[in-house]
Amino acid sequence: MDESQPSAVEVDWSLVTRVADRLIPADAYPSASQAGVVGRLASGSADENRELWAALLGPGFAALRRELGGCDLDATTDDELDRLLDRVAAGEATHPWPVSPASFHAELMRVTAEQFYGSHGAAGWHMVGFSPALRRPGGAPPGGAAPLTTCRVHELRASYDAIVIGVGAGGGVAAAELAARGLTVLAADRGELLSYPQVGKDHLRNFRLAQYGHNAPPDVAAGPRVWADREGNEQVAASPWDPRWSALPQTIGGGTRVYQGMAWRLLPADFELATRYGVPDGSSLADWPISYDDLEPYYSEIEWSVGVSGDGTAHRNQGGRSRAYPMPPLPDNTEAAVLRRAAGHLGWSTGPIPLLINSEPRDGRGRCGQCGECVGFACPTQAKNGPYNSVLPRALQTGNLTIAARARAVRILTDARGRVSGVALMDTPGGPVTEVSAGHVVVACSAIETPRLLLHSTCDHHPDGLGNAAGQVGRHLQGHLSAVTFGIFDTPVIDGTGPNARIATCDHIHSRPGVLGGFLGNEVLKLPIIHWNRALPPGAPRAGLAGKIAMRELYRRTSHVFGLAQEIPEAANRVTLSPDVRDAQGVPVARLTGRLHPENARSADLLIEKGTEWLAAAGARQIWSLTYSLDLSAGQHQAGTCRMGDDPATSVTDRWGRVHGHDNLWIMDGSVHVSNGGFNPVLTIMALALRSARHLAG
Ligand SMILES: Cc1cc2nc3c(=O)[nH]c(=O)nc-3n(C[C@H](O)[C@H](O)[C@H](O)COP(=O)(O)OP(=O)(O)OC[C@H]3O[C@@H](n4cnc5c(N)ncnc54)[C@H](O)[C@@H]3O)c2cc1C
């Protein structure tokens, strides 16, 4: 047993069973205990919720026992217990409690609901009408796709034409392109290639709801990150599932292993924001050094080589396109039909959300089976497309590409003249370090780890880190401010087919003077526990029969419209190295600091206003929005920390992703974004990586 942990707490489990069955009582569907919740609470009390039980729930149950006085539990009626629990929930008690009665009730309800709605195969799923099962066969052709093969650090050669660090969205595309163009390429990732079962289907531990952890690395062995406010007050985020850590998966494939795959292009105007809007005081809003037309051919190429389904003619306000999508959109669903009709009444244009998901068998892999477990998880039919299952397996066939797993870059190496010469790779975790030399080094570790690596790679010629002569590395950290609106309908709008996200409007981007805006779309199919956490209306009952009925009645009648507000960046929002905190391998951890520019609120407010209008026109009878925060965003859409630009004083790379002042150091991930658009970023990351890699190879 871990001595540092509080010991397992003594609890009267017969009392827990009675109480859990009042929080979720039996009706036509099982009660909490009938659904096996109490056994799972008991395991949690000795495991991930040990501290909660020791500090709050254990003492709370002892106090609850005292509230019952000498009454025999069996003689206490359900009504009596309900009245007592109502008083506890309201913070009222007859005897002194060692803990807050209201907190006890709220936390007990939370962990009970987690087990009732969040355990695999939970009774709560059947009750609300959620099923993770495939709705149609994937239809993968016999023979399947070419596999990806990887090796370990000790098997590497001494030298390659190029080393790409990070095999995620940007790095995967870059490595494949360089190998296809004839360079010998090492693509090194600190993670492993995880199989579908390894990623798993845990509704409480994934990249959508990380209540107790993630379903892919990083885990705590990756070390903490430090989060600081503008006044310099620091907090250490110890585990990567702390939202302040801002984690993306560290596995071969990076974010693409578990993403939703929304595959948006930026709009032409997004590349010239400073020209169109001016530069708000205190912000670092800037034009890109390239235009939409420069990137358009690469968007098209990625849509075909990695694989996007959609309808390129549907959306108003899109840039021109040289080619249609290679696959039609996924089949329509109920919510999309309802929202499309309403948008028509409002005079808005809508179209399918373009997705990096096969709508038909393609590339040796299946089509989307429309299961209920999409975003945050791997795909059971391999229909979700990323470089790891598309361009990389094809590039391996050239014989030019080597993919190293568990190969963490701890430092970029330079020679006596300060020129980049290779990479020091550690066989993770904590294994030996091997120096591998390279003609070119491409950094693609995502927008927090890339600046961390550059800043850590100091030498006499680059005492502040590589590419950081002007102090620009790590600045302009951004993500997306999410605007969330819900509406309840009289009849079901959620038909249960995944991935559900199907319809969007781009009419509220650059539509109101001075407001950047963003796209507005319907959300992915919700896991029931996420619905319980976030999507019940204000004031809805959560405990007792009324709480159970609320979930049953509202799960399929609630539409969730979300918008991604294009962020206005600031130079002071940044990644630096913590001077005090290091990971287990002695590398300083990333320190994130900043706060969103107040102007961002105008975009979020616009998207909430329009989301409300949309749901009202669709016939929703109760509509509400979540409050948003102007805390630093970063997160899963992190970008911007090694901005591309023509001026080395204000940017880190040139327009091709080549680091200023270096002839052979490149960045090809979300770090180079000047701004992040009012859309999810990944298609832009891949298109830019393709453009930069082709330039490098040329
Ligand atoms: C749940 C979820 C849903 C999402 N949905 C969408 C969506 O619908 N549409 C969209 O556009 N975007 C989406 N995203 C975001 C998208 O996945 C990211 O924007 C994208 O993956 C970032 O690409 P990148 O190349 O910058 O980094 P990544 O894809 O994160 O790749 C970085 C790679 O670098 C590796 N690495 C890091 N440090 C080192 C090191 N020192 N040495 C070696 N390797 C290292 C990591 O292991 C990782 O594989 C989603 C993300 C998540 C997690």
Side-chain angles (χ1 to χ4, degrees):
M1 194 178 107
D2 181 351
E3 297 288 318
S4 65
Q5 297 288 322
S7 55
V9 64
E10 293 258 322
V11 180
D12 174 353
W13 289 102
S14 56
L15 179 58
V16 176
T17 305
R18 273 303 298 281
V19 170
D21 280 350
R22 297 323 303 151
L23 296 180
I24 303 183
D27 55 0
Y29 296 89
S31 70
S33 72
Q34 288 165 348
V37 165
V38 177
R40 294 195 290 272
L41 288 179
S43 347
S45 74
D47 192 3
E48 73 264 346
N49 277 328
R50 178 186 280 254
E51 281 180 27
L52 180 72
W53 279 87
L56 180 67
L57 300 183
F61 270 110
L64 191 70
R65 198 79 188 77
R66 285 194 294 278
E67 293 289 333
L68 285 165
C71 298
D72 177 2
L73 190 56
D74 291 336
T76 308
T77 65
D78 286 346
D79 283 349
E80 286 165 343
L81 205 47
D82 286 346
R83 281 196 293 276
L84 173 59
L85 289 171
D86 285 348
R87 286 206 310 277
V88 168
E92 296 163 10
T94 322
H95 298 85
W97 277 52
V99 293
S100 151
S103 304
F104 163 78
H105 189 280
E107 287 296 279
L108 181 65
M109 187 63 237
R110 175 179 67 79
V111 291
T112 304
E114 277 171 10
Q115 298 308 331
F116 192 77
Y117 296 112
S119 299
H120 218 268
W125 294 4
H126 178 55
M127 182 184 85
V128 300
F130 168 84
S131 163
L134 292 180
R135 300 301 200 285
R136 55 180 191 171
L148 204 61
T149 49
T150 63
C151 67
R152 297 285 291 277
V153 172
H154 68 269
E155 299 171 76
L156 299 179
R157 304 200 325 231
S159 175
Y160 295 83
D161 292 337
I163 299 179
V164 178
I165 310 170
V167 192
V173 166
E177 177 64 14
L178 295 175
R181 300 267 153 184
L183 279 73
T184 57
V185 178
L186 167 62
D189 199 286
R190 63 182 293 161
E192 292 191 68
L193 180 61
L194 300 178
S195 65
Y196 172 70
Q198 279 174 314
V199 177
K201 293 292 183 186
D202 190 332
H203 285 204
L204 300 172
R205 293 167 191 80
N206 59 73
F207 273 88
R208 196 62 167 187
L209 178 62
Q211 187 65 39
Y212 298 110
H214 283 142
N215 48 353
D219 52 29
V220 282
R225 279 179 181 166
V226 174
W227 191 92
D229 63 21
R230 285 273 173 87
E231 286 69 49
N233 302 310
E234 291 192 345
Q235 294 163 24
V236 174
S239 68
W241 42 97
D242 180 329
R244 293 166 303 177
W245 211 94
S246 267
L248 275 168
Q250 292 183 344
T251 168
I252 288 182
T256 71
R257 265 330 290 281
V258 298
Y259 66 2
Q260 180 57 76
M262 296 190 191
W264 291 104
R265 298 174 171 206
L266 298 191
L267 304 183
D270 294 334
F271 293 83
E272 41 190 50
L273 293 180
T275 300
R276 285 179 172 242
Y277 289 87
V279 181
D281 280 350
S283 86
S284 55
L285 198 67
D287 290 349
W288 288 59
I290 59 171
S291 69
Y292 175 84
D293 289 343
D294 291 325
L295 202 53
E296 197 287 327
Y298 302 95
Y299 275 137
S300 273
E301 204 170 322
I302 291 291
E303 285 163 357
W304 279 78
S305 62
V306 181
V308 176
S309 56
D311 177 355
T313 63
H315 290 282
R316 206 186 277 162
N317 300 344
Q318 297 287 294
R321 49 170 51 247
S322 50
R323 236 175 147 185
Y325 289 113
M327 291 175 279
L330 290 173
D332 210 1
N333 68 3
T334 310
E335 190 182 23
V338 169
L339 289 173
R340 190 180 309 106
R341 260 196 313 277
H345 295 317
L346 293 167
W348 300 355
S349 74
T350 56
I353 296 174
L355 292 166
L356 282 142
I357 294 180
N358 287 349
S359 57
E360 51 197 32
R362 187 168 189 267
D363 215 5
R365 290 175 288 107
R367 65 179 177 176
C368 174
Q370 301 197 261
C371 75
E373 295 171 320
C374 190
V375 65
F377 301 106
C379 176
T381 58
Q382 294 195 63
K384 231 190 256 189
N385 298 318
Y388 74 96
N389 63 7
S390 58
V391 292
L392 281 170
R394 290 198 286 273
L396 270 178
Q397 286 164 15
T398 63
N400 297 329
L401 176 63
T402 304
I403 302 176
R406 293 174 61 171
R408 175 189 173 188
V410 280
R411 186 178 281 278
I412 298 168
L413 304 169
T414 47
D415 64 17
R417 292 174 296 129
R419 185 172 187 267
V420 167
S421 57
V423 182
L425 292 171
M426 173 187 282
D427 190 68
T428 59
V433 174
T434 303
E435 296 193 352
V436 184
S437 57
H440 292 267
V441 171
V442 176
V443 192
C445 300
S446 71
I448 293 173
E449 289 300 316
T450 285
R452 180 186 179 203
L453 183 61
L454 293 174
L455 292 170
H456 180 57
S457 300
T458 55
C459 64
D460 288 347
H461 288 271
H462 307 286
D464 298 320
L466 296 175
N468 198 32
Q472 289 298 307
V473 170
R475 292 193 181 274
H476 320 291
L477 176 61
Q478 57 200 286
H480 278 119
L481 184 52
S482 189
V484 174
T485 307
F486 296 101
I488 293 179
F489 289 79
D490 287 334
T491 52
V493 284
I494 302 299
D495 59 24
T497 55
N500 194 59
R502 238 24 150 267
I503 184 168
T505 175
C506 301
D507 282 16
H508 310 300
I509 314 178
H510 309 302
S511 62
R512 183 175 284 180
V515 184
L516 274 61
F519 94 97
L520 213 49
N522 78 323
E523 239 305 19
V524 300
L525 188 64
K526 268 199 196 51
L527 305 181
I529 185 59
I530 295 184
H531 194 98
W532 191 86
N533 280 342
R534 296 193 78 207
L536 286 171
R542 287 170 173 269
L545 200 53
K548 195 178 180 189
I549 291 170
M551 271 296 281
R552 183 157 74 225
E553 298 264 301
L554 298 179
Y555 179 76
R556 296 183 70 164
R557 291 199 284 119
T558 307
S559 174
H560 172 174
V561 163
F562 80 103
L564 288 187
Q566 163 137 229
E567 275 187 25
I568 296 172
E570 277 190 66
N573 294 352
R574 64 192 294 205
V575 178
T576 53
L577 296 182
S578 167
D580 312 311
V581 186
R582 290 170 181 262
D583 66 16
Q585 284 74 51
V587 180
V589 304
R591 178 183 188 272
L592 316 183
T593 189
R595 186 165 170 75
L596 297 193
H597 195 283
E599 275 292 311
N600 287 301
R602 297 213 290 155
S603 285
D605 290 342
L606 171 71
L607 294 175
I608 286 177
E609 174 194 321
K610 293 296 171 188
T612 305
E613 224 177 290
W614 200 3
L615 288 165
R621 62 172 163 78
Q622 184 181 359
I623 301 173
W624 72 102
S625 303
L626 299 186
T627 47
Y628 58 83
S629 141
L630 292 181
D631 285 348
L632 185 70
S633 57
Q636 296 179 342
H637 289 185
Q638 58 190 257
T641 50
C642 297
R643 173 178 270 199
M644 59 159 57
D646 292 332
D647 182 357
T650 56
S651 56
V652 176
T653 81
D654 67 11
R655 57 181 58 205
W656 301 103
R658 189 195 316 239
V659 176
H660 293 303
H662 293 263
D663 66 337
N664 64 347
L665 178 62
W666 308 73
I667 299 174
M668 301 191 195
D669 62 13
S671 311
V672 297
H673 287 195
V674 177
S675 47
N676 215 16
F679 296 103
N680 316 54
V682 84
L683 196 79
T684 302
I685 293 173
M686 293 195 230
L688 282 170
L690 177 62
R691 179 176 179 273
S692 295
R694 191 159 295 164
H695 182 77
L696 188 168

